[in-house]
Amino acid sequence: MVERRIPISVKEAVMRVMKFAKEGKKEEVSIYECNGRFLCEDIVANHDVPSFDRSAYDGFAIRSVDLKGASKEKPITLSVIDEIGAGQVCQKRIGEYEAVRIMTGAMLPSDCDAVVMFEVVKEGRENDQPYIIIDHEVGKGTNLSFQGEDVKKGKVLVEKGTKINPGIMALLATFGYEKVPVAKKPIIGIFATGTELLEVDEPLEKGKIRNSNAYMIMAQIERAGAIPVYFGKLQDVFTVSYEAMKEKLASVDILITTGGVSVGDYDLLPAIYKELGAEVLFNKVAMRPGSVTTVAHLDGKLLYGLSGNPSACYVGFEIFTKPIIRRYLFSSKPHLQSAPAILGEDFLTANAFTRFFRSTVSWKEDGLHTVPSGVDKSNIVTSLAFANALTILPSNSTGYQKGERVNVLLLEEEEGSEWPWN
Ligand SMILES: Nc1nc2c(c(=O)[nH]1)N[C@H]1C(S)=C(S)[C@@H](COP(=O)(O)OP(=O)(O)OC[C@H]3O[C@@H](n4cnc5c(N)ncnc54)[C@H](O)[C@@H]3O)O[C@H]1N2
Ligand code: MOO
Ligand SMILES: [Mg+2]
């Protein structure tokens, strides 16, 4: 008699996996190599930005008090006693009715409190001494960029676990991070199991298929921020598969297999977990696709038995493996980001299990819309190419109608969610 498996809810299954979530190791990499990596420490402003008051325009630094009462009828003349470009510092004292020619970004001389742009003054020269005539009052602080206006020292700017993007690169450089503290990428091993599998360079044969899961999972691992190591495919032969898994487990942080987790005669993973002495966290989840997803635990390492069916394999990874990788990368929002969306098509079949249909979401005037990205069956591979979301349809007996509000999990969004399963 075949083993009867009792399905547990997706939420329960994710909770069981997340009990093993931990922050990974840290390393420092050159700023040249950190784009796309995940910060393992918060980035805190270690000084004010800007760190001095500076001119926001090309013009003249003045003392606003000198221009009190200036008007068209009563213009005021200031003697220009120095000139500074960005990076230069004025060494002179600026006295009554004196000004300094100043360029954008240059430090405001300490005796001045405002800048007037070139465009609004009249320039002249007498006895080789330049002067300016101004016909209006200028308020204190005009045309300045103030110390700390951008950010004040001590502020937490970017939290650990955030993926470094071009804007964060600018912050790292601003605060002098020549070396950047990032999470070490976990190493995820992959075996594709199945006697029917051909490698990508092999011609098709009767009864055989090309192994697509390994390449898909490698790309999903990279998208999650980890390093995939593909150990090749395994025939459905117990001793060979067992020995190979046992050997490679030592060299990885997580081991993924695809296929062989259901109840078929050649589904060997349940017996392999037993022989390895691994604790199986679950082997049936009330979800489709991916109901056979199995996760086991051995000596601090997780073993993922993802389904052989491509769509089930894909979804199993995104729901159960990605958050473990993201926690490893220090994220406090490790799960896929969830968002409300409007169902773009009827989905009228009853669901005994929660359904995650591979979807294409797009913005319209009234919000995010979701439509299937292809046929909704777990053995389908083509729908995956166009999926940028998984639409969650909780189990019900009536199905769902076009226009209904649903939740989607966004596959490409960098910022995840803390817990999308409530
Ligand atoms: N009696 C039952 N049969 C099945 C059940 C069940 O509950 N009772 N569950 C079904 C569900 S649901 C799924 S999903 C599949 C899961 O099968 P396995 O995870 O055991 O995977 P395999 O049997 O090895 O393969 C399934 C399918 O996927 C193809 N495959 C396998 N590896 C790859 C690969 N690397 N690239 C592309 N395609 C692959 C394989 O050829 C099979 O067609 O079980 C149902 N059966
Ligand atoms: O695990 Mo299966 O994907 O539910 O079709
Ligand atoms: Mg099977």
Side-chain angles (χ1 to χ4, degrees):
M1 252 285 270
V2 72
E3 167 204 359
R4 284 220 175 269
R5 298 181 182 179
I6 315 283
I8 60 168
S9 69
V10 179
K11 179 175 169 177
E12 170 65 23
V14 180
M15 273 182 348
R16 287 191 194 178
V17 175
M18 293 312 281
K19 284 213 176 102
F20 294 91
K22 53 175 191 242
E23 290 184 344
K25 299 190 183 80
K26 302 179 174 187
E27 64 181 343
E28 283 200 329
V29 296
S30 150
I31 190 165
Y32 289 99
E33 282 147 25
C34 75
N35 188 27
R37 298 291 299 269
F38 290 75
L39 289 167
C40 67
E41 283 167 21
D42 293 346
I43 299 298
V44 182
N46 53 24
H47 57 73
D48 289 345
V49 180
S51 56
F52 51 88
D53 290 341
R54 61 187 180 184
S55 178
Y57 289 96
D58 302 317
F60 296 91
I62 52 96
R63 300 160 8 114
S64 58
V65 61
D66 292 339
L67 298 176
K68 277 267 168 310
S71 66
K72 291 250 184 295
E73 296 71 38
K74 209 180 130 222
I76 287 174
T77 301
L78 305 178
S79 176
V80 180
I81 63 159
D82 199 2
E83 59 173 77
I84 49 170
Q88 294 175 323
V89 177
C90 173
Q91 304 292 353
K92 296 185 179 159
R93 299 308 309 247
I94 292 73
E96 281 186 3
Y97 299 105
E98 289 181 339
V100 172
R101 193 175 171 87
I102 191 168
M103 302 307 132
T104 305
M107 185 168 169
L108 186 75
S110 58
D111 297 319
C112 299
D113 61 8
V115 166
V116 280
M117 290 163 69
F118 285 147
E119 292 87 333
V120 300
V121 305
K122 210 186 245 172
E123 294 185 62
R125 188 174 279 270
E126 198 178 291
N127 299 331
D128 234 22
Q129 173 61 46
Y131 63 85
I132 49 174
I133 300 171
I134 302 171
D135 63 2
H136 56 278
E137 293 194 341
V138 175
K140 191 177 164 173
T142 302
N143 295 332
L144 297 184
S145 142
F146 296 102
Q147 175 170 349
E149 158 184 292
D150 196 337
V151 63
K152 294 247 183 321
K153 181 177 177 176
K155 185 167 184 204
V156 176
L157 288 168
V158 192
E159 281 179 26
K160 66 179 180 179
T162 306
K163 187 175 179 178
I164 297 173
N165 64 22
I168 294 172
M169 291 296 281
L171 287 182
L172 291 168
T174 297
F175 296 112
Y177 283 89
E178 185 202 355
K179 295 265 182 230
V180 182
V182 296
K184 224 175 155 139
K185 294 183 181 191
I187 296 180
I188 320 287
I190 306 148
F191 279 112
T193 77
T195 302
E196 74 278 30
L197 300 180
L198 297 167
E199 228 18 289
V200 61
D201 55 349
E202 293 181 88
L204 278 185
E205 286 173 40
K206 241 189 192 157
K208 305 231 169 173
I209 59 162
R210 287 205 188 91
N211 162 21
S212 59
N213 287 346
Y215 300 91
M216 172 183 83
I217 287 290
M218 280 194 272
Q220 287 178 281
I221 289 170
E222 279 179 354
R223 179 164 69 183
I227 299 174
V229 180
Y230 178 41
F231 295 129
K233 57 191 169 60
L234 294 170
Q235 302 231 344
D236 297 318
V237 178
F238 182 85
T239 41
V240 179
S241 303
Y242 167 76
E243 293 298 340
M245 282 179 64
K246 194 173 165 161
E247 184 206 326
K248 295 299 183 192
L249 187 56
S251 64
V252 295
D253 294 300
I254 290 172
L255 185 63
I256 292 178
T257 53
T258 79
V261 279
S262 188
V263 293
D265 292 348
Y266 303 98
D267 289 337
L268 301 175
L269 268 297
I272 291 174
Y273 293 138
K274 200 166 175 192
E275 190 68 18
L276 286 170
E279 171 204 4
V280 173
L281 307 183
F282 53 82
N283 61 12
K284 190 86 182 172
V285 188
M287 64 190 268
R288 193 136 273 156
S291 65
V292 299
T293 308
T294 301
V295 182
H297 171 255
L298 180 64
D299 301 334
K301 286 184 187 173
L302 288 173
L303 295 101
Y304 284 85
L306 300 179
S307 169
N309 272 327
S311 280
C313 184
Y314 184 100
V315 172
F317 177 92
E318 293 298 330
I319 305 251
F320 299 112
T321 321
K322 184 177 180 181
I324 288 288
I325 293 175
R326 285 290 166 98
R327 275 301 294 142
Y328 204 95
L329 299 173
F330 294 82
S331 173
S332 54
K333 295 178 174 176
H335 304 276
L336 292 172
Q337 191 183 115
S338 90
I342 297 164
L343 201 55
E345 283 180 20
D346 283 343
F347 213 103
L348 298 174
T349 42
N351 285 328
F353 286 175
T354 299
R355 201 166 258 290
F356 294 97
F357 73 79
R358 280 71 63 214
S359 313
T360 311
V361 291
S362 56
W363 287 102
K364 300 214 165 118
E365 262 172 27
D366 55 347
L368 202 57
H369 282 237
T370 180
V371 291
S373 56
V375 176
D376 183 63
K377 277 172 77 181
S378 77
N379 60 331
I380 296 293
V381 69
T382 50
S383 62
L384 297 170
F386 311 101
N388 59 8
L390 302 173
T391 299
I392 310 176
L393 297 184
S395 63
N396 78 1
S397 55
T398 54
Y400 293 83
Q401 283 180 343
K402 183 177 172 173
E404 280 192 58
R405 304 241 157 211
V406 292
N407 276 322
V408 295
L409 297 171
L410 302 170
L411 294 165
E412 308 274 356
E413 200 58 42
E414 275 314 335
E415 173 157 351
S417 69
E418 250 170 65
W419 185 250
W421 304 114
N422 288 328

mmCIF file of all heavy atoms in Angstrom, residues 196 236 259-268 292 307-309, ligand 3:
data_model
loop_
_atom_site.group_PDB
_atom_site.id
_atom_site.type_symbol
_atom_site.label_atom_id
_atom_site.label_comp_id
_atom_site.label_asym_id
_atom_site.label_seq_id
_atom_site.Cartn_x
_atom_site.Cartn_y
_atom_site.Cartn_z
ATOM 1 N N GLU A 196 15.049 9.544 -16.802
ATOM 2 C CA GLU A 196 14.566 10.047 -18.098
ATOM 3 C C GLU A 196 15.306 11.302 -18.567
ATOM 4 O O GLU A 196 15.074 11.792 -19.667
ATOM 5 C CB GLU A 196 13.052 10.356 -18.008
ATOM 6 C CG GLU A 196 12.662 11.626 -17.220
ATOM 7 C CD GLU A 196 12.618 11.437 -15.708
ATOM 8 O OE1 GLU A 196 13.371 10.604 -15.175
ATOM 9 O OE2 GLU A 196 11.838 12.139 -15.047
ATOM 10 N N ASP A 236 17.725 7.180 -11.384
ATOM 11 C CA ASP A 236 16.927 6.734 -10.228
ATOM 12 C C ASP A 236 17.439 5.384 -9.726
ATOM 13 O O ASP A 236 16.788 4.344 -9.854
ATOM 14 C CB ASP A 236 15.446 6.627 -10.626
ATOM 15 C CG ASP A 236 14.866 7.976 -11.024
ATOM 16 O OD1 ASP A 236 15.156 8.974 -10.341
ATOM 17 O OD2 ASP A 236 14.129 8.037 -12.018
ATOM 18 N N GLY A 259 12.873 16.267 -8.362
ATOM 19 C CA GLY A 259 12.291 14.985 -8.771
ATOM 20 C C GLY A 259 12.426 13.920 -7.698
ATOM 21 O O GLY A 259 13.160 14.089 -6.705
ATOM 22 N N GLY A 260 11.638 12.869 -7.888
ATOM 23 C CA GLY A 260 11.781 11.694 -7.018
ATOM 24 C C GLY A 260 11.258 11.844 -5.609
ATOM 25 O O GLY A 260 11.680 11.112 -4.708
ATOM 26 N N VAL A 261 10.326 12.768 -5.389
ATOM 27 C CA VAL A 261 9.826 12.943 -4.013
ATOM 28 C C VAL A 261 8.404 12.446 -3.806
ATOM 29 O O VAL A 261 7.888 12.479 -2.697
ATOM 30 C CB VAL A 261 9.887 14.404 -3.527
ATOM 31 C CG1 VAL A 261 11.275 14.763 -3.065
ATOM 32 C CG2 VAL A 261 9.393 15.385 -4.549
ATOM 33 N N SER A 262 7.767 12.010 -4.873
ATOM 34 C CA SER A 262 6.382 11.580 -4.706
ATOM 35 C C SER A 262 6.351 10.099 -4.288
ATOM 36 O O SER A 262 7.276 9.638 -3.621
ATOM 37 C CB SER A 262 5.623 11.846 -6.010
ATOM 38 O OG SER A 262 4.252 11.609 -5.832
ATOM 39 N N VAL A 263 5.336 9.394 -4.690
ATOM 40 C CA VAL A 263 5.148 8.037 -4.164
ATOM 41 C C VAL A 263 5.404 6.966 -5.226
ATOM 42 O O VAL A 263 5.023 5.807 -5.050
ATOM 43 C CB VAL A 263 3.721 7.873 -3.578
ATOM 44 C CG1 VAL A 263 3.556 8.745 -2.349
ATOM 45 C CG2 VAL A 263 2.650 8.223 -4.630
ATOM 46 N N GLY A 264 6.046 7.363 -6.333
ATOM 47 C CA GLY A 264 6.301 6.411 -7.419
ATOM 48 C C GLY A 264 7.382 5.403 -7.051
ATOM 49 O O GLY A 264 8.155 5.610 -6.110
ATOM 50 N N ASP A 265 7.429 4.316 -7.816
ATOM 51 C CA ASP A 265 8.405 3.251 -7.546
ATOM 52 C C ASP A 265 9.842 3.748 -7.625
ATOM 53 O O ASP A 265 10.733 3.183 -6.996
ATOM 54 C CB ASP A 265 8.222 2.111 -8.561
ATOM 55 C CG ASP A 265 6.897 1.389 -8.358
ATOM 56 O OD1 ASP A 265 6.254 1.633 -7.303
ATOM 57 O OD2 ASP A 265 6.495 0.620 -9.254
ATOM 58 N N TYR A 266 10.066 4.773 -8.449
ATOM 59 C CA TYR A 266 11.441 5.275 -8.602
ATOM 60 C C TYR A 266 11.646 6.617 -7.906
ATOM 61 O O TYR A 266 12.612 7.325 -8.179
ATOM 62 C CB TYR A 266 11.788 5.376 -10.098
ATOM 63 C CG TYR A 266 11.621 4.033 -10.788
ATOM 64 C CD1 TYR A 266 10.466 3.733 -11.490
ATOM 65 C CD2 TYR A 266 12.615 3.056 -10.662
ATOM 66 C CE1 TYR A 266 10.295 2.490 -12.079
ATOM 67 C CE2 TYR A 266 12.451 1.807 -11.239
ATOM 68 C CZ TYR A 266 11.290 1.526 -11.949
ATOM 69 O OH TYR A 266 11.123 0.296 -12.515
ATOM 70 N N ASP A 267 10.694 6.971 -7.060
ATOM 71 C CA ASP A 267 10.848 8.205 -6.269
ATOM 72 C C ASP A 267 11.654 7.848 -5.030
ATOM 73 O O ASP A 267 11.116 7.343 -4.032
ATOM 74 C CB ASP A 267 9.472 8.786 -5.909
ATOM 75 C CG ASP A 267 8.768 9.361 -7.124
ATOM 76 O OD1 ASP A 267 9.474 9.707 -8.102
ATOM 77 O OD2 ASP A 267 7.532 9.473 -7.104
ATOM 78 N N LEU A 268 12.936 8.089 -5.096
ATOM 79 C CA LEU A 268 13.859 7.535 -4.094
ATOM 80 C C LEU A 268 14.165 8.473 -2.926
ATOM 81 O O LEU A 268 14.775 8.064 -1.952
ATOM 82 C CB LEU A 268 15.183 7.175 -4.784
ATOM 83 C CG LEU A 268 15.074 6.154 -5.917
ATOM 84 C CD1 LEU A 268 16.421 5.987 -6.600
ATOM 85 C CD2 LEU A 268 14.581 4.817 -5.369
ATOM 86 N N VAL A 292 4.028 18.056 -3.426
ATOM 87 C CA VAL A 292 4.939 16.996 -2.955
ATOM 88 C C VAL A 292 6.250 17.554 -2.390
ATOM 89 O O VAL A 292 7.115 16.786 -1.963
ATOM 90 C CB VAL A 292 5.284 16.009 -4.099
ATOM 91 C CG1 VAL A 292 4.042 15.321 -4.620
ATOM 92 C CG2 VAL A 292 6.011 16.725 -5.234
ATOM 93 N N SER A 307 9.875 19.149 -6.335
ATOM 94 C CA SER A 307 9.197 18.272 -7.287
ATOM 95 C C SER A 307 9.951 18.210 -8.619
ATOM 96 O O SER A 307 10.673 19.142 -8.982
ATOM 97 C CB SER A 307 7.789 18.816 -7.513
ATOM 98 O OG SER A 307 7.204 18.147 -8.601
ATOM 99 N N GLY A 308 9.747 17.140 -9.345
ATOM 100 C CA GLY A 308 10.317 17.040 -10.685
ATOM 101 C C GLY A 308 9.538 17.875 -11.685
ATOM 102 O O GLY A 308 10.093 18.393 -12.663
ATOM 103 N N ASN A 309 8.261 18.036 -11.457
ATOM 104 C CA ASN A 309 7.446 18.821 -12.384
ATOM 105 C C ASN A 309 7.922 20.272 -12.364
ATOM 106 O O ASN A 309 7.985 20.893 -11.295
ATOM 107 C CB ASN A 309 5.969 18.750 -11.977
ATOM 108 C CG ASN A 309 5.280 17.539 -12.605
ATOM 109 O OD1 ASN A 309 5.624 17.133 -13.705
ATOM 110 N ND2 ASN A 309 4.299 17.001 -11.907
HETATM 111 MG MG MG B 3 7.651 10.867 -9.074
#
